[in-house]
Amino acid sequence: MATREEISDFLIEVEKRAYKQALFAVHDEHAALDIIQDSMMKLTVKYASKPVEELPLLFQRILQNTIRDYYRRQRTRSLWTTLFSAFAPNDPDKNSEDFDILETLPVKQESTEPDAQLEKAQLIELMEKAMEILPARQREAFILRYWEEMSLAETAAVMNCSEGSVKTHCSRATHALASILRERGVKL
């Protein structure tokens, strides 16, 4: 187990090299500093109990994953910026600073009937409890496919298994959930 002093010495030693590595990857000084800070925090929080000899490899893996996370966030932000820019007013006379995207989106009216709200809350609670009963791989496949709406190939990649395995896990999860819900009086 590395001592606080050994971890501190390791981080001081690796700081400049890691900064250069992150800067080359993201081409933004501020983002590179954030990435280094996040990586160092993850190392100290999650892996302080590891021997000092393992720290270099662990830190490199953490650093690379943090850089990948940065790019994923950037992709998501640019997607939403592009999508939201379509809602921007085209009228040059209107002040774009006063524009609020939320004012352009339609509002979905939820049922205000107490009975409907109670029924919906109870069904959600039943689903959550039923999901807890499922084996981990079935739960993972079900959530990725049906709640996250990932494709079969994407789910297989995330789960690190074949598409056939994903189909099997999803089928078993669906049948198990249907059975559990039927037992609890939910009509499907």
Side-chain angles (χ1 to χ4, degrees), residues 3 8 14 20 27 35 46 63-64 85 90-91 96 106 115 119-120 141 148-149 154 157 162 169-170 172 175 180 183:
T3 65
S8 178
V14 76
K20 288 290 185 186
H27 305 289
I35 289 169
K46 294 182 180 179
L63 179 61
Q64 292 306 313
S85 68
N90 292 330
D91 188 358
S96 62
D115 291 344
E119 186 177 326
K120 181 178 178 181
E148 297 296 328
E149 298 179 346
E154 291 170 331
S162 69
H169 290 310
C170 285
R172 289 178 180 165
H175 289 292
I180 292 167
E183 289 172 5

Side-chain angles (χ1 to χ4, degrees), residues 36-50:
I36 297 306
Q37 183 178 6
D38 289 347
S39 299
M40 289 180 171
M41 289 299 295
K42 289 174 185 175
L43 180 76
T44 56
V45 169
K46 294 182 180 179
Y47 299 102
S49 63
K50 295 289 184 179

Side-chain angles (χ1 to χ4, degrees), residues 121-180:
Q122 288 173 338
L123 183 59
I124 290 171
E125 184 178 345
L126 275 173
M127 278 295 293
E128 288 174 351
K129 286 181 180 176
M131 293 288 286
E132 291 173 4
I133 296 170
L134 292 177
R137 294 292 278 180
Q138 288 180 18
R139 183 175 47 246
E140 181 182 14
F142 184 85
I143 289 172
L144 291 173
R145 285 284 288 141
Y146 302 118
W147 283 5
E148 297 296 328
E149 298 179 346
M150 288 186 175
S151 71
L152 193 59
E154 291 170 331
T155 304
V158 168
M159 293 180 65
N160 197 23
C161 65
S162 69
E163 291 182 15
S165 293
V166 172
K167 289 179 185 178
T168 301
H169 290 310
C170 285
S171 175
R172 289 178 180 165
T174 304
H175 289 292
L177 288 172
S179 175
I180 292 167

Side-chain angles (χ1 to χ4, degrees), residues 1-187:
M1 182 169 133
T3 65
R4 290 181 91 176
E5 188 174 285
E6 288 174 323
I7 292 174
S8 178
D9 290 344
F10 170 75
L11 293 176
I12 290 169
E13 176 188 322
V14 76
E15 179 181 24
K16 289 181 183 174
R17 291 191 319 268
Y19 170 73
K20 288 290 185 186
Q21 192 174 355
L23 184 60
F24 291 142
V26 299
H27 305 289
D28 180 352
E29 293 177 5
H30 299 292
L33 288 171
D34 288 343
I35 289 169
I36 297 306
Q37 183 178 6
D38 289 347
S39 299
M40 289 180 171
M41 289 299 295
K42 289 174 185 175
L43 180 76
T44 56
V45 169
K46 294 182 180 179
Y47 299 102
S49 63
K50 295 289 184 179
V52 72
E53 305 83 45
E54 293 182 20
L55 295 180
L57 290 177
L58 285 170
F59 183 74
Q60 280 304 313
R61 175 168 281 171
I62 292 168
L63 179 61
Q64 292 306 313
N65 287 338
T66 307
I67 290 170
R68 285 187 197 98
D69 290 344
Y70 168 81
Y71 278 114
R72 284 186 198 111
R73 282 192 305 274
Q74 291 303 105
R75 241 189 340 249
T76 303
R77 284 182 188 135
S78 92
L79 171 70
W80 284 108
T81 302
T82 303
L83 291 175
F84 284 154
S85 68
F87 290 105
N90 292 330
D91 188 358
D93 296 334
K94 290 187 179 180
N95 186 356
S96 62
E97 291 177 10
D98 295 334
F99 175 72
D100 184 4
I101 184 66
L102 297 177
E103 292 176 4
T104 65
L105 299 175
V107 177
K108 180 182 177 188
Q109 295 293 329
E110 290 281 330
S111 174
T112 57
E113 296 295 318
D115 291 344
Q117 288 178 345
L118 177 63
E119 186 177 326
K120 181 178 178 181
Q122 288 173 338
L123 183 59
I124 290 171
E125 184 178 345
L126 275 173
M127 278 295 293
E128 288 174 351
K129 286 181 180 176
M131 293 288 286
E132 291 173 4
I133 296 170
L134 292 177
R137 294 292 278 180
Q138 288 180 18
R139 183 175 47 246
E140 181 182 14
F142 184 85
I143 289 172
L144 291 173
R145 285 284 288 141
Y146 302 118
W147 283 5
E148 297 296 328
E149 298 179 346
M150 288 186 175
S151 71
L152 193 59
E154 291 170 331
T155 304
V158 168
M159 293 180 65
N160 197 23
C161 65
S162 69
E163 291 182 15
S165 293
V166 172
K167 289 179 185 178
T168 301
H169 290 310
C170 285
S171 175
R172 289 178 180 165
T174 304
H175 289 292
L177 288 172
S179 175
I180 292 167
L181 292 176
R182 262 191 240 107
E183 289 172 5
R184 303 241 165 77
V186 176
K187 294 183 182 179

